[in-house]
Amino acid sequence: MVTTSATTFSIGSTVSFGSRGNPLPQSKPFVARFTSPNSLASFSGLKAATYVNCESESSFFGKESSAALRGSFVPKAQKANQKSQNGLQPVASYKVAILGAAGGIGQPLALLIKMSPLVSALNLYDIANVKGVAADLSHCNTPSQVQDFTGASELGNCLKGVNAVVIPAGVPRKPGMTRDDLFNINANIVKTLVEAVADNCPDAFIHIISNPVNSTVPIAAEVLKQKGVYDPKKLFGVTTLDVVRANTFVAQKKNLKLIDVDVPVVGGHAGITILPLLSKTKPSVNFTNEEVEQLTVRIQNAGTEVVEAKAGAGSATLSMAYAAARFVESSLRALDGDGDVYECSFVQSDLTDLPFFASRIKLGRKGIEALIPSDLSGLSEYEEKALEALKPELKASIEKGIAFLQKQPVTA
């Protein structure tokens, strides 16, 4: 995975990274060395190890990385060695589809997902220019097989048998454009794509990146309801970029090691609806009132910071792709049976009086296993006020998405 420092896997001449050996999903660089003549029953593309040495500085992952690797990898390796000496038995068995794969987010996201040891098939869809992206990626020597699908006539085939769908499709923000300006275009795009998901892979995990997420996730939910296949545990608005930014900005501000920092971000995924809970920062750190306000505003406006810096050439594509890849990797690890996977996401929720809300969730094989209500207890006075202040705007965005679907029923 892409890291702030180089990621290294080494075993003599070859490497194995087991399907459940991935560490927890927080932003850290990571080094793992595996040494053994024997093979794992889990697949990583190359060879195997019973001895695992983890030096934590990881990619998408977190401070529990080393412990997670040791706890998951070593027993599996030992068990595999006891069972068989007949070589690798591939378990990179998950099929992922990216809808909007030729775009500014889609291309780097496809590259990062192509690097996952859990993915066996990577289906890339777009309305144009996706064939070259797929050809380029197909040359990477990682396990997943890449296929391209162009246009509405091929969308159904792209989605057949898929375990996880990622939707970055849509137009990007331009200078002076608000997320609401994106609504009419992207709402129709998400509606059409989720209809196809409902028809072809209704049990898949669905990851919505297309903005405005505060509205497009409710749109997706309404489509799935009208199709009779809605499972709220499997629909995710990807807000991981807010967490990635919060972790980065806090580490910079307080001169902390980024590998140690974790800031939960709740609410929504636009402007003041983004609420970093700085009082819940790990490790515990003190902020002045001025620092809290400065950091909160910067995290809320970080997307605009990138749009303005690119001066009309796009929006936050690379950081968004990184954050989305982190969340998708977490989803795949949960599908693969990892019992300790947590992320923040905009989901159907009963934590507040709003029907959708971003908060930390626990992921499992069937999707969301639990919301984490403790994050909303013991908030600072600033956070309590900000939480109440964001609710009207978030409520309006949710209702806007629902109303859109009521006016435009789904295609039978």
Side-chain angles (χ1 to χ4, degrees):
M1 302 298 180
V2 174
T3 64
T4 53
S5 62
T7 299
T8 307
F9 308 110
S10 61
I11 290 186
S13 61
T14 52
V15 180
S16 180
F17 201 79
S19 68
R20 297 182 200 176
N22 298 325
L24 294 174
Q26 301 183 25
S27 296
K28 312 174 185 173
F30 155 155
V31 178
R33 294 188 179 91
F34 314 120
T35 51
S36 170
N38 301 317
S39 359
L40 286 173
S42 54
F43 182 71
S44 75
L46 302 175
K47 277 209 174 176
T50 52
Y51 171 71
V52 181
N53 177 30
C54 306
E55 297 166 7
S56 177
E57 294 260 333
S58 109
S59 57
F60 300 132
F61 315 125
K63 63 187 173 186
E64 296 92 344
S65 298
S66 300
L69 264 174
R70 291 188 189 100
S72 176
F73 232 129
V74 176
K76 183 180 293 187
Q78 292 171 341
K79 186 176 180 181
N81 291 332
Q82 291 169 0
K83 279 188 170 184
S84 173
Q85 301 294 324
N86 295 325
L88 292 170
Q89 302 172 19
V91 295
S93 54
Y94 298 101
K95 190 173 181 178
V96 177
I98 301 176
L99 310 184
I105 296 170
Q107 290 196 43
L109 175 58
L111 173 61
L112 291 169
I113 292 177
K114 178 74 171 79
M115 295 170 71
S116 172
L118 294 171
V119 178
S120 60
L122 181 59
N123 289 356
L124 306 182
Y125 171 84
D126 217 316
I127 58 174
N129 304 321
V130 73
K131 188 174 292 292
V133 176
D136 197 357
L137 277 181
S138 70
H139 295 177
C140 299
N141 62 330
T142 59
S144 54
Q145 298 298 306
V146 181
Q147 288 186 282
D148 62 275
F149 302 84
T150 302
S153 64
E154 297 185 8
L155 179 55
N157 287 335
C158 173
L159 293 167
K160 295 292 186 186
V162 162
N163 303 106
V165 180
V166 195
I167 306 180
V171 299
R173 291 173 69 197
K174 296 177 181 178
M177 181 185 286
T178 67
R179 291 183 189 271
D180 282 342
D181 294 331
L182 301 176
F183 179 81
N184 287 329
I185 299 172
N186 287 356
N188 276 296
I189 291 171
V190 170
K191 172 181 176 290
T192 300
L193 295 177
V194 176
E195 285 175 356
V197 171
D199 292 339
N200 294 282
C201 54
D203 293 327
F205 283 17
I206 305 171
H207 306 79
I208 305 291
I209 297 171
S210 308
N211 278 316
V213 166
N214 292 353
S215 298
T216 54
V217 170
I219 287 170
E222 290 300 307
V223 169
L224 297 166
K225 286 176 185 177
Q226 291 186 29
K227 289 283 192 177
V229 295
Y230 180 48
D231 183 348
K233 294 181 179 179
K234 295 182 178 181
L235 177 62
F236 311 97
V238 180
T239 62
T240 317
L241 181 53
D242 299 324
V243 177
V244 167
R245 286 167 168 163
N247 291 349
T248 300
F249 300 163
V250 166
Q252 290 171 346
K253 187 76 170 178
K254 305 304 278 186
N255 196 28
L256 300 171
K257 287 179 64 177
L258 185 55
I259 192 172
D260 296 325
V261 179
D262 183 27
V263 183
V265 182
V266 303
H269 187 54
I272 68 163
T273 70
I274 300 168
L275 179 56
L277 300 181
L278 297 172
S279 69
K280 305 280 185 176
T281 297
K282 294 180 181 178
S284 181
V285 60
N286 293 322
F287 298 96
T288 66
N289 292 339
E290 184 180 14
E291 285 175 330
V292 168
E293 185 167 359
Q294 288 176 346
L295 282 167
T296 299
V297 170
R298 188 181 179 201
I299 293 161
Q300 290 172 341
N301 294 329
T304 302
E305 184 178 311
V306 176
V307 169
E308 292 176 350
K310 289 191 174 182
S315 58
T317 53
L318 300 177
S319 54
M320 182 66 247
Y322 167 83
R326 164 179 154 166
F327 192 93
V328 172
E329 185 78 359
S330 291
S331 291
L332 296 176
R333 287 174 41 235
L335 279 168
D336 202 47
D338 190 327
D340 198 18
V341 181
Y342 295 83
E343 287 285 359
C344 288
S345 182
F346 185 65
V347 297
Q348 182 174 309
S349 174
D350 60 4
L351 294 184
T352 69
D353 53 354
L354 300 171
F356 294 88
F357 192 80
S359 68
R360 276 200 307 151
I361 58 174
K362 185 178 190 294
L363 291 164
R365 287 185 186 274
K366 295 183 179 180
I368 300 169
E369 288 191 349
L371 306 176
I372 311 299
S374 59
D375 283 347
L376 295 183
S377 63
L379 300 181
S380 68
E381 182 181 354
Y382 179 91
E383 291 162 349
E384 290 279 10
K385 290 180 178 178
L387 178 59
E388 292 307 310
L390 70 81
K391 287 181 179 179
E393 182 172 324
L394 183 51
K395 182 174 185 286
S397 296
I398 293 168
E399 290 175 346
K400 186 174 184 178
I402 294 171
F404 173 82
L405 250 292
Q406 292 172 345
K407 293 175 184 174
Q408 301 190 43
V410 302
T411 304

